Amino acid sequence: MTPAQRAFERLQAWPDLSAGPASCGTGRALCSVRDEIVHFHSDRDVDLHLTHRAIQRFRYDLGGSTAIRLVPGSRWVTVHLDCDADVDLLLSLVSIALKAHQSRPPADLAPGPTALSAPPGCNFHRVTVLPRAAAGEA
């Protein structure tokens, strides 16, 4: 079983999430009542939908992880799953995402003067994830 399959099975059991097709057209999604929260694109790559406020709050922690890729201007965070620790990280971030979406202020709903102008959709095809060994050799 791949890391993404393990993560999907664990998250699908959460009562606040339901499964469906990803709106980007590739893979499966887990959705809350209000929003798509996670897109599973491959056996290792997952996009997680956070709010602008959550990304700003955890920006340095997210940027310091070798499993996380941030795309400027996007409310989606790409998580590369290589091991069980990455799956655990994703589950923690999904919990943060659910809480952030439930308590999101109106200004964070759509782009505007007080919100981040986010391109529509997730980061699929906008992020290239290199294996950790190859990334460290550069």
Side-chain angles (χ1 to χ4, degrees):
M1 182 179 291
T2 68
Q5 289 170 325
R6 284 195 306 274
F8 187 86
E9 285 187 8
R10 289 176 65 183
L11 289 168
Q12 191 174 16
W14 289 19
D16 292 340
L17 294 172
S18 60
S23 63
C24 66
T26 302
R28 298 179 292 174
L30 290 172
C31 308
S32 71
V33 173
R34 292 176 67 172
D35 300 290
E36 288 186 349
I37 301 297
V38 188
H39 286 183
F40 289 83
H41 296 299
S42 71
D43 291 341
R44 298 198 179 274
D45 296 316
V46 175
D47 279 339
L48 173 69
H49 188 194
L50 289 171
T51 62
H52 172 65
R53 184 177 293 198
I55 289 174
Q56 290 305 312
R57 181 173 181 197
F58 296 105
R59 176 171 290 294
Y60 295 110
D61 297 313
L62 295 171
S65 172
T66 58
I68 303 287
R69 297 295 176 266
L70 299 172
V71 174
S74 177
R75 289 189 180 110
W76 291 82
V77 173
T78 300
V79 183
H80 185 72
L81 305 173
D82 273 331
C83 59
D84 289 336
D86 296 339
V87 172
D88 291 340
L89 172 63
L90 175 65
L91 272 69
S92 296
L93 291 172
V94 169
S95 181
I96 291 168
L98 284 169
K99 183 174 172 77
H101 280 273
Q102 290 168 354
S103 62
R104 152 182 93 199
D108 208 17
L109 289 171
T114 60
L116 177 66
S117 179
C122 65
N123 292 339
F124 190 61
H125 290 302
R126 294 175 41 200
V127 171
T128 301
V129 180
L130 300 174
R132 287 187 180 137
E137 294 172 4

